[in-house]
Amino acid sequence: MTSPTSYQQNITEFPVRNIEKIHLPKDLEALKTILLQAGESNRPVYPISTGHNWGLGSRMPVNDADIIDLKHLNRIIEVNRELRYARVEPGVTQQQLYDYLEVHAPELMLNVTGSDSGSSILGNIVDRGSGKSGHRAEDLRELTVMLADGQLIRTGFGELQGSQGSFYKYGLGPDLTHLFTQSNYAIVTEAVVNLRVKQPFNLYLAVLDKSGLKGFLNKMAELVAQELVGYSLEIDSQNDPKIYELFESGKDFNDKWFAWFVVTGHEEVLPAKHSVVTKALGSLVAELKAYPSSDDHSSSTPPVRVRIDRYHGQPNDHSLLATARKFGVELSGKEVNLDLYPQIPGFRCVLPVIPFTGASSDIIQYLESFSKSRGLDPAISIIALNDYSLEVFVRVYFDRSDQSAISQAGTWARDLLSELKQQGIYPYRLDIENMAPYLQELKNPYTLLQCQLKNLFDPNNIIAPGRYS
Ligand SMILES: Cc1cc2nc3c(=O)[nH]c(=O)nc-3n(C[C@H](O)[C@H](O)[C@H](O)COP(=O)(O)OP(=O)(O)OC[C@H]3O[C@@H](n4cnc5c(N)ncnc54)[C@H](O)[C@@H]3O)c2cc1C
């Protein structure tokens, strides 16, 4: 039997939860048996897809529970080229779907994340993660879920016979799909996710002065709303480990932000869009460079190369490898699992979601000054989820063997969440440590209704107790 110990190791150094067993079901029958037995013995279970939930809990449950690791349910059940979707099980990784599409539907791509190539599609979507081209939840069409009593339910039109594939996601009547994202009402066994047609694009890298963030965000919000720029914006602070290779040239980039974004379109349209975008941004940025997707980027710096790959739908491990390398560790091997390398610094993160407006630059300034007042130097990425929301991924790194640094980072995250809440700024995802206390304080008629729904779906509270509830 797989040992629970490795499932307790986590890059964030969250206190260890009691995990007695790791279940590794090979099919839905086995999953049903595990769920029914968990109900009979009143022993909670916590499902994970590939468990790369780094920064938010890794493979650990919110409260003590046995793990149901769904990595062996890893079939790509269907790819529909005409209707552009894939139906996948929990264990299907970004790399697995990419490899499949390259052979069977090379014109299509997934909106991949910046996490590693071995992370799941389904686990990320049910945690409502973010892709390189927008919010992953918005790519979701349908789910199949197993309830605590073993019953399988398909959302959308999934239950209806004679359907001609997944082409209308709402079904009839109340739409239940998102009841099962950021949720503990059921175990998700299949997801139908959008695929996109690959198109030519230009990747841009803009270097901004810190004081220019407000004007830049205002202009980008306009360009994204006009559909000149895709939901691709990512702005990184200079100390973000995943871009450290940009500075190997020795050029002085102090006090700058680094903004990446993509302009997509048919090759006859792209030059016109390029001209509008460069004119619009010209006076707002210190530097602006375009990297056409059609060029050979094999000699470009890695942060450029890997972004070109991702916008072609090809995932990679660069964010992890670069972070490790910046701290002097070379990761090797097939599976890159940050949890298992205590020599790489740990990190704590907070993930506020803020309006996509120039005024939000004040919030970014606040995140920096709050952290600096604690003697911490936060790395910050600002990421477009769509044309009106930005995710902020703010984190601090610490030595995993230093108890006082671990506890300082934990206090920073808790206090920052609380301070932001006072200002009406909320996270779009929470880690397993802050989930319960944060949500308890939010108590309102909406969260009470969520609890009532939990009682309806899982009256014995067997599935992932405490997860977003
Ligand atoms: C360097 C770096 C870069 C990252 N970049 C990104 C990024 O670009 N975008 C992003 O969103 N995240 C990112 N992450 C965070 C994280 O790695 C990803 O979100 C990753 O996809 C989550 O791991 P997973 O896919 O294995 O999901 P899992 O860890 O398997 O699942 C996440 C959670 O969802 C729930 N869950 C999983 N499967 C099921 C199921 N079948 N039924 C019910 N509930 C389930 C569980 O509660 C689980 O804890 C990054 C992390 C690092 C360290």
Side-chain angles (χ1 to χ4, degrees):
M1 196 174 51
T2 311
S3 136
T5 320
S6 68
Y7 284 71
Q8 291 165 326
Q9 275 175 278
N10 67 92
I11 180 86
T12 321
E13 296 298 339
F14 288 126
V16 162
R17 272 61 171 167
N18 181 24
I19 302 170
E20 278 175 17
K21 253 196 215 151
I22 310 297
H23 300 281
L24 290 157
K26 294 250 178 342
D27 54 33
L28 293 180
E29 259 324 292
L31 178 61
K32 183 174 173 178
T33 306
I34 294 163
L35 265 179
L36 295 181
Q37 282 172 354
E40 277 160 25
S41 59
N42 222 9
R43 174 82 197 155
V45 286
Y46 191 85
I48 58 170
S49 289
T50 48
H52 292 189
N53 207 18
W54 297 310
L56 299 177
S58 297
R59 294 188 282 181
M60 275 216 296
V62 180
N63 298 329
D64 296 347
D66 292 340
I67 299 293
I68 305 184
D69 185 338
L70 296 161
K71 66 181 173 191
H72 295 312
L73 299 186
N74 62 355
R75 287 178 307 149
I76 298 169
I77 296 166
E78 180 192 1
V79 166
N80 189 314
R81 290 176 84 163
E82 229 181 340
L83 299 173
R84 296 176 301 284
Y85 67 81
R87 183 185 296 278
V88 296
E89 289 191 319
V92 174
T93 64
Q94 303 200 94
Q95 185 67 43
Q96 188 184 344
L97 185 60
Y98 173 77
D99 291 342
Y100 183 93
L101 292 176
E102 282 302 282
V103 175
H104 300 284
E107 76 284 9
L108 297 179
M109 57 173 270
L110 178 74
N111 169 22
V112 295
T113 69
S115 191
D116 71 320
S117 49
S119 61
S120 76
I121 298 161
L122 189 149
N124 178 269
I125 290 188
V126 299
D127 209 47
R128 295 212 291 260
S130 68
K132 288 291 136 190
S133 307
H135 204 313
R136 270 298 194 69
E138 286 164 22
D139 285 326
L140 181 59
R141 290 196 195 175
E142 288 171 21
L143 289 176
T144 304
V145 302
M146 188 177 281
L147 302 181
D149 63 5
Q151 204 188 157
L152 272 182
I153 305 282
R154 292 172 191 279
T155 68
F157 274 141
E159 290 291 339
L160 303 181
Q161 295 301 316
S163 150
Q164 299 159 59
S166 176
F167 58 90
Y168 182 70
K169 63 182 180 180
Y170 301 107
L172 270 174
D175 172 22
L176 304 188
T177 300
H178 284 279
L179 277 185
F180 302 105
T181 65
Q182 276 192 8
S183 147
N184 60 358
Y185 299 165
I187 294 186
V188 180
T189 60
E190 266 176 47
V192 177
V193 297
N194 288 338
L195 298 173
R196 299 162 186 219
V197 175
K198 286 181 189 162
Q199 292 193 70
F201 63 85
N202 290 339
L203 169 72
Y204 293 83
L205 170 58
V207 181
L208 336 173
D209 291 324
K210 283 225 153 158
S211 57
L213 187 59
K214 188 178 207 149
F216 181 77
L217 279 177
N218 263 332
K219 185 51 77 181
M220 282 308 284
E222 213 177 289
L223 294 171
V224 175
Q226 291 166 347
E227 297 181 8
L228 284 158
V229 172
Y231 300 162
S232 53
L233 180 65
E234 168 193 335
I235 307 176
D236 299 319
S237 58
Q238 201 234 331
N239 60 349
D240 190 326
K242 66 181 182 290
I243 57 163
Y244 87 94
E245 286 138 319
L246 286 181
F247 315 117
E248 286 182 329
S249 64
K251 202 165 164 184
D252 180 13
F253 279 126
N254 254 343
D255 260 350
K256 299 277 193 271
W257 287 102
F258 299 83
W260 309 87
F261 60 92
V262 154
V263 171
T264 307
H266 189 278
E267 54 224 3
E268 285 174 22
V269 175
L270 212 43
K273 282 187 164 181
H274 171 77
S275 157
V276 177
V277 168
T278 47
K279 256 189 225 142
L281 293 175
S283 62
L284 297 171
V285 298
E287 281 180 34
L288 182 64
K289 191 159 181 335
Y291 301 89
S293 61
S294 50
D295 288 2
D296 173 18
H297 293 285
S298 49
S299 58
S300 298
T301 173
V304 168
R305 219 167 52 225
V306 298
R307 280 171 179 75
I308 297 270
D309 289 345
R310 288 185 190 131
Y311 290 112
H312 276 131
Q314 182 173 7
N316 54 65
D317 299 337
H318 177 261
S319 302
L320 277 65
L321 300 178
T323 302
R325 209 169 287 142
K326 181 175 175 200
F327 295 110
V329 182
E330 275 303 326
L331 293 181
S332 57
K334 207 153 176 273
E335 197 197 357
V336 182
N337 188 341
L338 291 181
D339 296 321
L340 309 180
Y341 293 84
Q343 63 274 40
I344 302 174
F347 73 95
R348 272 287 182 126
C349 62
V350 172
L351 294 158
V353 57
I354 59 176
F356 195 163
T357 61
S360 285
S361 61
D362 293 346
I363 303 170
I364 306 299
Q365 247 178 30
Y366 175 78
L367 296 174
E368 287 190 306
S369 58
F370 175 89
S371 309
K372 289 197 167 135
S373 72
R374 306 272 172 122
L376 295 165
D377 184 25
I380 298 180
S381 299
I382 308 163
I383 297 157
L385 293 174
N386 51 35
D387 53 346
Y388 50 89
S389 324
L390 297 170
E391 159 204 352
V392 188
F393 176 33
V394 50
R395 68 268 186 213
V396 295
Y397 292 89
F398 55 82
D399 175 351
R400 284 178 72 177
S401 63
D402 180 343
Q403 277 311 320
S404 74
I406 294 170
S407 120
Q408 185 193 25
T411 310
W412 165 85
R414 187 199 57 207
D415 293 352
L416 180 55
L417 278 167
S418 165
E419 290 291 327
L420 289 172
K421 188 162 60 178
Q422 303 300 323
Q423 300 173 32
I425 300 161
Y426 301 94
Y428 92 111
R429 281 159 100 181
L430 278 168
D431 64 60
I432 57 169
E433 200 62 10
N434 284 298
M435 226 172 247
Y438 192 90
L439 292 170
Q440 229 149 40
E441 276 180 28
L442 281 190
K443 213 164 172 188
N444 59 45
Y446 187 68
T447 60
L448 286 175
L449 178 60
Q450 289 171 335
C451 291
Q452 287 164 354
L453 288 171
K454 172 67 176 168
N455 286 337
L456 179 74
F457 285 111
D458 179 17
N460 297 324
N461 201 16
I462 286 302
I463 300 175
R467 174 166 158 78
Y468 287 102
S469 66

